[in-house]
Amino acid sequence: MAVRDPEATKARIFEAAVTEFARHGIAGARIDRIAAEAKANKQLIYAYFGNKAELFATVLERKMLDLAESVPVDPDDIEGWVDRLMDYHAAHPELLRLLFWEGLEYGTEQLPHESGRQEHYVRKVATLKDGQDRGVVTDAIPPGDLLFLLTALANWTAVVPQMRRILTGDAEEDTARLHASVKEAARRLVAR
């Protein structure tokens, strides 16, 4: 008789959900496909994660936490932070896809688990504000706006790879040049 491992099952469901939501968004994702990929029954998905919207919110929340832990904002090294952020998204393209699906689904409406997300961003903004207070980052732009602009600058290359390829080329040296350009733009954006 096989022994059930609830944690292993939850992990398989989570990974299958990441893939499914990144490919199909919230509306297009199917619990049946997640269950089949995870080799779990649908009732376990509902028992462990709630409905499909809650599962998506949980997936995105965990992925955002991984990003925050892997690539903390560093006002003392904005170019390095931007470089690490671009590398992270190149290695984990599913996160930006999940964020864009969320944007398409919710627009400007309140998000599930939004208060947790706000706390996450409050810490990042506070880190930039500290850099402003210490004089290593410009205070000409409010710190929340600055975080938004820097993140957009770093993320856009991964969000629209077709535009990146058409405008800047797709060879290895083109990618390296674009990385350098994005870091230079970030450096200028935060310069005092």
Side-chain angles (χ1 to χ4, degrees):
M1 181 173 184
V3 177
R4 291 189 179 179
D5 182 350
E7 293 309 311
T9 303
K10 286 179 189 177
R12 287 193 319 272
I13 291 169
F14 179 83
E15 289 306 319
V18 168
T19 301
E20 179 72 9
F21 286 127
R23 283 186 188 147
H24 303 286
I26 302 167
R30 297 290 174 258
I31 295 296
D32 297 23
R33 288 192 298 244
I34 295 170
E37 181 66 27
K39 295 177 178 47
N41 68 53
K42 288 174 23 175
Q43 285 67 38
L44 282 177
I45 295 173
Y46 294 119
Y48 292 150
F49 295 100
N51 62 32
K52 186 167 66 165
E54 280 295 314
L55 175 57
F56 178 84
T58 299
V59 163
L60 190 50
E61 186 177 359
R62 287 188 196 170
K63 287 299 200 177
M64 293 290 289
L65 180 60
D66 180 66
L67 170 63
E69 290 173 353
S70 300
V71 190
V73 175
D74 184 355
D76 295 300
D77 182 17
I78 290 295
E79 289 178 64
W81 171 67
V82 165
D83 203 30
R84 290 185 299 278
L85 186 58
M86 291 174 71
D87 288 346
Y88 180 91
H89 286 303
H92 305 281
E94 69 280 356
L95 176 54
L96 290 175
R97 290 183 60 89
L98 292 168
L99 284 168
F100 271 84
W101 282 117
E102 179 187 59
L104 289 170
E105 182 75 22
Y106 292 102
T108 59
E109 294 175 21
Q110 180 90 13
L111 302 170
H113 304 204
E114 186 166 320
S115 61
R117 182 95 56 92
Q118 286 173 337
E119 291 171 18
H120 163 81
Y121 284 121
V122 163
R123 289 188 296 277
K124 287 185 172 196
V125 170
T127 300
L128 278 179
K129 175 72 172 111
D130 175 66
Q132 289 176 325
D133 293 345
R134 292 184 294 112
V136 296
V137 174
T138 183
D139 59 1
I141 301 172
D145 295 357
L146 188 57
L147 179 64
F148 183 80
L149 293 170
L150 289 167
T151 302
L153 185 65
N155 292 350
W156 198 241
T157 64
V159 171
V160 287
Q162 76 283 17
M163 184 182 285
R164 177 191 46 77
R165 179 185 50 77
I166 291 168
L167 291 174
T168 68
D170 205 24
E172 196 171 308
E173 63 269 11
D174 298 326
T175 300
R177 186 193 68 249
L178 180 60
H179 259 229
S181 295
V182 170
K183 290 189 305 185
E184 176 64 16
R187 186 189 63 72
R188 291 180 184 209
L189 189 60
V190 301
R192 291 201 49 94

